[in-house]
Amino acid sequence: EPEVTQTPSHQVTQMGQEVILRCVPISNHLYFYWYRQILGQKVEFLVSFYNNEISEKSEIFDDQFSVERPDGSNFTLKIRSTKLEDSAMYFCASRTQYTDTQYFGPGTRLTVL
Amino acid sequence: QKEVEQDPGPLSVPEGAIVSLNCTYSNSAFQYFMWYRQYSRKGPELLMYTYSSGNKEDGRFTAQVDKSSKYISLFIRDSQPSDSATYLCAMSVGVQSGTASKLTFGTGTRLQVTL
């Protein structure tokens, strides 16, 4: 069964450093999402991406964040200058154009020291 | 008022019990409802989804939606220790709206099924 994959599973970085989180969505899906979950809190929407552009973003997704689909398979989330409060699980999700059902990857745990 | 409210639990039940998990929401634009299961430090795993008011059954799981009351439920029959996880409700306005149809999650209910 196809699934969303994410790398790395755990990333540790120093405050102020740039990180890139990678996702490979399900191959026939056209809509891609990033969510984050701070420990003990709910899953929060960050950004959605369709047809090579951002279709919606939340207040959390400020100028420090960017997304890219550099090739036909990868979808990345970049945080330019990480802050302590960026420490969280980051989930990638994808769906087809026909349904609202989103399938999530296993997540990347980001720890900012 | 939060868009989606969910009792965080924890909820502890004996094996074999019927479990009822619930969410309420305030945004009447929500049209699509999902339940995800999440094990500790893992990604949300889709359990069930539904568009319409009423019941939808899949094995031991039944999803119920009451749009007039803005209330959704997930019932688990014959609960097993392997059902121990956090259950997340999620909802969206639907792809028909022409939007990106982001998901809005509840806080999750932690369920523990004991032997």
Side-chain angles (χ1 to χ4, degrees):
Chain A
E1 187 174 324
E3 57 184 20
V4 177
T5 60
Q6 290 186 244
T7 54
S9 57
H10 188 196
Q11 173 94 47
V12 181
T13 190
Q14 296 291 326
M15 190 169 56
Q17 295 296 303
E18 174 183 288
V19 295
I20 297 176
L21 310 182
R22 291 182 168 80
C23 168
V24 179
I26 294 172
S27 63
N28 64 335
H29 288 188
L30 299 181
Y31 287 82
F32 313 118
Y33 301 82
W34 284 102
Y35 294 82
R36 80 169 185 191
Q37 186 177 33
I38 294 170
L39 188 63
Q41 297 187 24
K42 66 177 183 177
V43 177
E44 298 176 290
F45 168 76
L46 290 178
V47 67
S48 58
F49 191 85
Y50 170 70
N51 199 25
N52 280 321
E53 61 183 26
I54 290 173
S55 45
E56 189 175 354
K57 59 184 180 179
S58 72
E59 295 171 352
I60 304 166
F61 194 89
D62 62 22
D63 292 344
Q64 293 300 310
F65 291 87
S66 62
V67 289
E68 192 179 35
R69 188 155 163 82
D71 54 44
S73 59
N74 289 283
F75 178 51
T76 63
L77 174 69
K78 182 193 292 186
I79 309 175
R80 272 182 258 286
S81 178
T82 49
K83 301 189 272 287
L84 295 175
E85 54 264 37
D86 293 327
S87 295
M89 285 288 286
Y90 287 81
F91 296 110
C92 174
S94 68
R95 67 170 176 90
T96 72
Q97 67 271 40
Y98 306 114
T99 176
D100 295 76
T101 308
Q102 295 182 24
Y103 294 89
F104 283 74
T108 292
R109 182 154 64 102
L110 176 66
T111 302
V112 182
L113 302 176
Chain B
Q1 184 183 13
K2 292 181 183 176
E3 270 195 303
V4 180
E5 304 228 30
Q6 185 175 8
D7 186 338
L11 180 62
S12 184
V13 301
E15 184 179 9
I18 296 174
V19 176
S20 171
L21 305 165
N22 311 296
C23 287
T24 59
Y25 61 97
S26 58
N27 186 352
S28 58
F30 287 141
Q31 297 295 324
Y32 193 80
F33 305 91
M34 281 149 280
W35 286 94
Y36 288 86
R37 178 172 60 196
Q38 186 178 32
Y39 295 108
S40 181
R41 296 188 179 243
K42 301 293 184 185
E45 171 196 3
L46 181 69
L47 281 177
M48 297 196 70
Y49 60 91
T50 182
Y51 283 104
S52 55
S53 282
N55 293 352
K56 181 178 180 180
E57 192 173 315
D58 184 3
R60 295 186 297 114
F61 299 92
T62 299
Q64 188 176 78
V65 173
D66 181 347
K67 289 186 180 179
S68 62
S69 302
K70 298 192 183 66
Y71 188 89
I72 69 171
S73 299
L74 178 71
F75 298 96
I76 307 174
R77 288 182 298 283
D78 188 26
S79 55
Q80 303 294 311
S82 58
D83 294 328
S84 298
T86 297
Y87 289 80
L88 313 175
C89 64
M91 44 199 81
S92 71
V93 299
V95 296
Q96 289 82 359
S97 67
T99 69
S101 198
K102 67 182 182 186
L103 296 182
T104 301
F105 282 84
T107 51
T109 299
R110 190 154 59 91
L111 172 67
Q112 181 73 38
V113 181
T114 58
L115 291 169

